[in-house]
Amino acid sequence: MSIISPARPGASARPGRAGRPRDPAVQRQILDAAKALVGENGCASITIEGVAARAGVSKQSVYRRWSSRGDLLVDLYLGSVTEEPQRWHDLGFRAAFTDYVQWSVRRLFDPKRAAILRGLAMEAQADPAIRRVLMARIVEPRLARGRELLRRAADAGEIRGDLDVDTALDFVFGSVWFNLLITGAPINRRWQDRALREFFILTAPIAAARVKR
């Protein structure tokens, strides 16, 4: 992913101030308001004040749950379900990497969520705060898991031992960002199958690649 530099992985919504327990219904109300505003005017139009007004709550109610508009937009993109790959150590490299790519891009199969991430990425180029949130909570956690998979596969002889791991990941995620930000082509199962087919050819051990030719 070429648009960012490493940062700390983060959790979901940021911790709020101490006090009475948060009402889950209010959190849902705020997210629904933010989703409606993004749908109407895009990510650039989102402000904490505007979301609070649309949700019918105070600014403090929003800030107790999200420390910034970037955190709010990232939670809007991620949604309430965490899709973590669980079986990597039980699978061979191809199956594990396929599971990893599916986990990384599955939300982008939904055009509405793809639009949210597109807006975040565009704003990240001019807003360092948005950039930090995008890196910490979406980009770097995926890159870290990908590096782990590729290095383990290289040690096991399942892929080329001389593989440049970061460039190999750029091949996959560079395609995501190029389609998301430039061509507008959908990130879907067809994209996934094509990208993985070429990725496995490029990363195959040298001897195996020669046999295939």
Side-chain angles (χ1 to χ4, degrees), residues 125-147:
Q125 306 314 298
D127 187 335
I130 295 287
R131 185 184 181 93
R132 285 192 294 271
V133 174
L134 180 63
M135 269 303 304
R137 300 189 54 206
I138 295 177
V139 177
E140 186 55 32
R142 284 155 178 75
L143 291 180
R145 288 170 171 84
R147 292 183 191 112

Side-chain angles (χ1 to χ4, degrees), residues 137-191:
R137 300 189 54 206
I138 295 177
V139 177
E140 186 55 32
R142 284 155 178 75
L143 291 180
R145 288 170 171 84
R147 292 183 191 112
E148 176 192 352
L149 272 175
L150 291 177
R151 287 168 181 158
R152 190 169 71 234
D155 290 342
E158 295 179 287
I159 61 174
R160 288 168 40 202
D162 65 343
L163 184 71
D164 184 320
V165 167
D166 286 316
T167 299
L169 291 173
D170 283 346
F171 174 87
V172 175
F173 293 112
S175 174
V176 172
W177 292 113
F178 181 71
N179 284 290
L180 194 65
L181 296 173
I182 306 299
T183 71
I187 304 299
N188 53 22
R189 188 56 63 101
R190 182 170 179 268
W191 169 87

